[in-house]
Amino acid sequence: MTFHRTLRWLTTLLVAFALAPSLGAAQQHPPITILINESPWLAGFEVLVDAYVAETGHEVELNVTPFPGMLQRSRNAVTASESEFDLINLNEQWYSLFYAGGLVTPILDIDPEFVLDPQVIEYAYATRWNPDIGYSTEDGALYGLPINGNIQLLFYRSDLFEEAGLSAPTTWDEVEAAAQVLHDPPSRIGLVTRTAPTDWEFQSYLRGYGGSVIEVDDDGQWRVGIADPAAVEALERYIQLNRDYGPANYASVSQAEALSLMQSGRAAMAHVVGAAAPNFENPELSTVQGLVQATIVPGPTADSRATMSGIWVMGIPENLPDARKQAALEFMRWALTFDAQMLYARAGAIPVRQDVYETLGQEDGFGWMQAMADSTPFINAQPRVAEAPQIITAFADQVAAALLGQVSAEEALQTAASEIHRIMVAGGYDVAPLD
Amino acid sequence: MGRLLDQHFPVVALAPLIVALLVLTVYPALQLVRMAFSDVGIVSGGTTWTFVGLEHLRTLAEDRTARIAFTNTFIFTIVVVPIEAALGLLLAYLVNQTRTLGAFYKTVFIVPLLLPPIAIGALWRLMLDYNYGVVNQALLAIGIAGPPWLASPTLALPMVMLVDVWHWTSFMFLIFLAGVASIPQELGEAAEVDGATPWQVFAHVVLPILKPTIVVALMMRTILAFKVFDVPYLLTGGGPGTATEMINIYIEKVFFQQFRVGYGGMLTLLTALILSTFVIVYQQLSRRAEAAR
């Protein structure tokens, strides 16, 4: 009896000793769950996660959600008593809601020693938030870490350009000159742009021409700039190029349609998201494999080119215990290293490091990454206030109406300006009256 | 005790149902009303509700897209419901007259109703695609350059209506077929003996008997048509521009893309009020139809 009792006691002690380190480790590194969107770069993200798990032994679970459900799931997570996700993937168009509402944790609150590697591109400070003016600024606090570096590029058919003696366009005039030569509908169109929705691509024209949807000065006063003469000029150019050299349905081209026109060899140029590049090189999807090159999105002049940020950032919900926040940050710290980002990029994802773009840009099959690297100085921000989704809808609808020829460019932008002004006033911003 | 239970048995028996109804219907409806007059913000770990009175109605008065969405939805409903009813009734009457192949026609005509709306949206979107769609490919084969069906501001709404008619006529057909089949054949035969033409039999015998069924079918379709979402969302996303923006598509944008929960609540409440008005009107019509019988 005594022997058995002693044996049981010893067994319990041994089991406790055996489990103690793993329990400690589990407490130090609790498993993390990441809310991630279903996308063409998901496979790359999965490779990244697998490598992290293999290297560290920490557990990571992915909750893959289609794009339309991402905002709602993120919102549900941060309003629960404790978030079910340790990292939420926030889109360019709505991260500001989460930063402004204090729904994600400032990174330095988790680790005061955290330093963002300067090679990590901040995409016009989509990573930061300045609560004093309610905007992403260079001196804002670090709230999110980029995980997908979507920007726009201009893709062009290198074989057709070479044949016609054309070089990669740097201005919209050069785009038009090339389109005049290569536009031969219905077998081939000169330029295809995603126009459904209109907002993202149009903004590269807008910023290139020196316009802006909204802007804030150093004193925190806002101004709605979307009806300025520069903006009208930008919209007129955007309409003219797409109407004259686009497909017959130029006013309602979805991303899938724009890509399929390029992949099937029916477009000479495409102004679309840089992440489309792997599609053109995929022999199962593309008939123009090896014939598509990329360059920076043109502008009115080569010096005033602009590409728009459309990135995803990872945020760590505020409603998490410290250990989970630490574990989430540890994953992101690792995911942003050069080696991890190289792995990520090779697996088909869109990295966020300048040195990765520059390194891979020299390799066969990754030439478009050099265009991504070259585009970094031209990256511009979309409106980044908590009301951004409303503002974007307001001008996207008007740009679409102008593109359809229902109203003039000037009328469309004036209507958009009034609507945006109303939204800003209702949001409590100090906004200058409309001109 | 036993007598008391006997006296109040109906109340006791209905109590669980009444409680369930209150919890599942009245409470959400009250929450919707509260939402419509509040600003709902999110904070870490919860939400904040601030009473704003009629603020959202003022916003609605200035909201151009909401006006367009309500107008499009009214036009859509007014056009598709009568067409679906007329086609459904005609098909039901003809199929009921058919001596052969009746089962075949019934099966064929209800197929669209059996397809999930997602599949219908995807199917028609592919068929009507400007560049690769089978419709334009067929037109091209005979030398005609097809138009951008879903990308033209003048064609997009009619195309959405066409797909809806294709989808929902089968629903009307099914309801009317049951109604037509229940009419005793002798009535029609007696009218024919009295010299009535087939059209007169239809207009003066079949239609009056079917009136209550028609009113109920119209009411159901009007409600469903006004709540349309899936097909236009999949076909055009409300575009091009706002050409096919329906109120439910706009409400989805307001709630889930723009995060304006309070304003979305007001739009939903208004939609519910419009639908309630439809129901009241149809109930009146239904009573009159019953009285006329």
Side-chain angles (χ1 to χ4, degrees), chain B residues 134-147 149:
Chain B
V134 67
V135 176
N136 277 4
Q137 295 293 328
L139 288 173
L140 201 62
I142 54 169
I144 300 169
W149 302 103

Side-chain angles (χ1 to χ4, degrees), chain A residues 224-282:
Chain A
V224 178
I226 200 164
D228 290 352
V232 176
E233 197 183 349
L235 182 52
E236 283 170 346
R237 190 61 160 146
Y238 168 80
I239 293 168
Q240 179 257 323
L241 284 176
N242 284 293
R243 185 191 57 216
D244 294 353
Y245 306 106
N249 62 332
Y250 70 90
S252 188
V253 179
S254 67
Q255 178 139 299
E257 256 181 303
L259 299 192
S260 72
L261 282 169
M262 197 70 190
Q263 284 161 214
S264 61
R266 290 182 59 189
M269 290 177 276
H271 175 189
V272 287
V273 63
N279 294 38
F280 305 139
E281 294 305 317
N282 183 343

Side-chain angles (χ1 to χ4, degrees), chain A residues 139-216:
Chain A
D139 56 351
L142 194 61
Y143 272 79
L145 298 169
I147 194 64
N148 173 285
N150 271 347
I151 57 168
Q152 303 158 6
L153 292 178
L154 182 82
F155 291 95
Y156 63 97
R157 284 279 300 279
S158 53
D159 56 331
L160 301 176
F161 269 62
E162 204 173 306
E163 207 176 290
L166 298 161
S167 53
T170 58
T171 65
W172 293 122
D173 286 346
E174 288 173 14
V175 166
E176 182 164 23
Q180 277 169 347
V181 176
L182 302 172
H183 186 61
D184 183 21
S187 58
R188 188 176 62 225
I189 51 146
L191 171 71
V192 62
T193 306
R194 182 185 69 159
T195 53
T198 53
D199 56 277
W200 199 44
E201 284 77 6
F202 164 66
Q203 284 184 79
S204 67
Y205 285 73
L206 178 72
R207 300 310 298 262
Y209 276 86
S212 60
V213 179
I214 49 171
E215 56 196 20
V216 62

Side-chain angles (χ1 to χ4, degrees), chain A residues 68 71-72 75 78-82 93-94 97-98 101-103 186 247-254 257 260-262 264 266 317-319 386 389-390 393-394 396-398 400-401 404 406 415 419 422-423 426, chain B residues 40-47 55 58-59 62-65 68 125 129-132 137 140 146-154 233 236 239-243 245 250 252-253 255-261 263:
Chain A
L71 176 58
Q72 188 59 24
R75 191 173 71 162
V78 298
T79 52
S81 56
E82 183 174 326
Q93 294 192 353
W94 65 71
L97 289 167
F98 290 78
L103 305 171
N249 62 332
Y250 70 90
S252 188
V253 179
S254 67
E257 256 181 303
S260 72
L261 282 169
M262 197 70 190
S264 61
R266 290 182 59 189
E318 182 62 47
N319 54 341
Q390 269 178 271
T393 306
D397 284 350
Q398 289 305 313
L404 289 162
Q406 294 171 323
T415 308
E419 179 64 9
R422 189 190 62 74
I423 293 166
Chain B
V40 184
I42 58 168
V43 290
S44 184
T47 52
E55 184 59 36
R58 274 193 285 276
T59 305
E62 294 173 2
D63 189 343
R64 195 182 144 274
T65 311
I68 292 171
R125 191 182 168 125
D129 182 86
Y130 172 75
N131 291 298
Y132 304 104
Q137 295 293 328
L140 201 62
W149 302 103
L150 300 174
S152 150
T154 48
Y233 185 79
T236 60
T242 49
E245 188 85 303
Y250 186 55
E252 188 272 338
K253 281 181 192 165
F255 264 122
F256 300 112
Q257 294 177 34
Q258 300 179 2
F259 239 36
R260 298 156 77 194
V261 176
Y263 184 52

Side-chain angles (χ1 to χ4, degrees), chain B:
Chain B
M1 181 68 184
R3 186 182 291 174
L4 199 69
L5 195 64
D6 283 347
Q7 278 175 349
H8 298 284
F9 178 74
V11 177
V12 174
L14 285 173
L17 195 65
I18 290 167
V19 170
L21 190 74
L22 284 172
V23 171
L24 298 174
T25 310
V26 179
Y27 177 73
L30 289 176
Q31 278 295 90
L32 176 66
V33 174
R34 185 180 163 220
M35 191 189 286
F37 294 96
S38 305
D39 251 346
V40 184
I42 58 168
V43 290
S44 184
T47 52
T48 56
W49 293 58
T50 314
F51 180 73
V52 293
L54 300 176
E55 184 59 36
H56 296 317
L57 277 178
R58 274 193 285 276
T59 305
L60 179 63
E62 294 173 2
D63 189 343
R64 195 182 144 274
T65 311
R67 282 201 302 279
I68 292 171
F70 272 118
T71 309
N72 284 346
T73 311
F74 271 111
I75 294 171
F76 174 83
T77 307
I78 288 165
V79 172
V80 299
V81 174
I83 293 176
E84 289 161 7
L87 284 175
L89 187 59
L90 182 70
L91 290 175
Y93 185 65
L94 293 176
V95 168
N96 192 55
Q97 302 284 312
T98 309
R99 298 278 177 258
T100 55
L101 293 175
F104 170 75
Y105 288 131
K106 281 176 205 167
T107 310
V108 168
F109 291 143
I110 64 165
V111 163
L113 195 62
L114 304 178
L115 293 176
I118 298 280
I120 291 173
L123 182 81
W124 280 89
R125 191 182 168 125
L126 284 174
M127 280 170 38
L128 296 171
D129 182 86
Y130 172 75
N131 291 298
Y132 304 104
V134 67
V135 176
N136 277 4
Q137 295 293 328
L139 288 173
L140 201 62
I142 54 169
I144 300 169
W149 302 103
L150 300 174
S152 150
T154 48
L155 287 174
L157 188 57
M159 286 302 112
V160 171
M161 289 171 175
L162 174 79
V163 176
D164 193 83
V165 168
W166 178 84
H167 182 194
W168 286 102
T169 295
S170 47
F171 171 79
M172 300 300 243
F173 164 75
L174 214 55
I175 291 181
F176 293 144
L177 186 66
V180 172
S182 67
I183 298 172
Q185 245 178 341
E186 298 79 36
L187 289 176
E189 286 165 3
E192 278 171 7
V193 168
D194 290 340
T197 62
W199 166 247
Q200 284 170 325
V201 173
F202 179 74
H204 300 293
V205 178
V206 176
L207 265 187
I209 295 173
L210 275 185
K211 218 183 242 178
T213 311
I214 293 171
V215 172
V216 170
L218 284 175
M219 181 176 77
M220 289 171 74
R221 257 317 284 151
T222 304
I223 291 169
L224 291 173
F226 203 83
K227 294 199 300 184
V228 67
F229 176 79
D230 35 31
V231 168
Y233 185 79
L234 287 159
L235 278 180
T236 60
T242 49
T244 59
E245 188 85 303
M246 301 292 168
I247 192 61
N248 271 352
I249 294 179
Y250 186 55
I251 289 174
E252 188 272 338
K253 281 181 192 165
V254 169
F255 264 122
F256 300 112
Q257 294 177 34
Q258 300 179 2
F259 239 36
R260 298 156 77 194
V261 176
Y263 184 52
M266 178 54 81
L267 291 171
T268 309
L269 185 65
L270 209 66
T271 306
L273 288 174
I274 293 168
L275 290 172
S276 306
T277 312
F278 287 150
V279 172
I280 292 166
V281 170
Y282 276 118
Q283 276 176 342
Q284 295 291 333
L285 288 175
S286 183
R287 278 198 203 104
R288 278 189 211 167
E290 285 290 347
R293 283 176 89 183

Side-chain angles (χ1 to χ4, degrees), chain A residues 321-345:
Chain A
D322 283 347
R324 287 180 65 187
K325 288 181 181 176
Q326 293 286 353
L329 183 57
E330 192 172 330
F331 170 79
M332 281 308 296
R333 190 184 277 121
W334 180 89
L336 292 175
T337 58
F338 177 80
D339 289 345
Q341 286 283 303
M342 285 291 281
L343 182 75
Y344 184 51

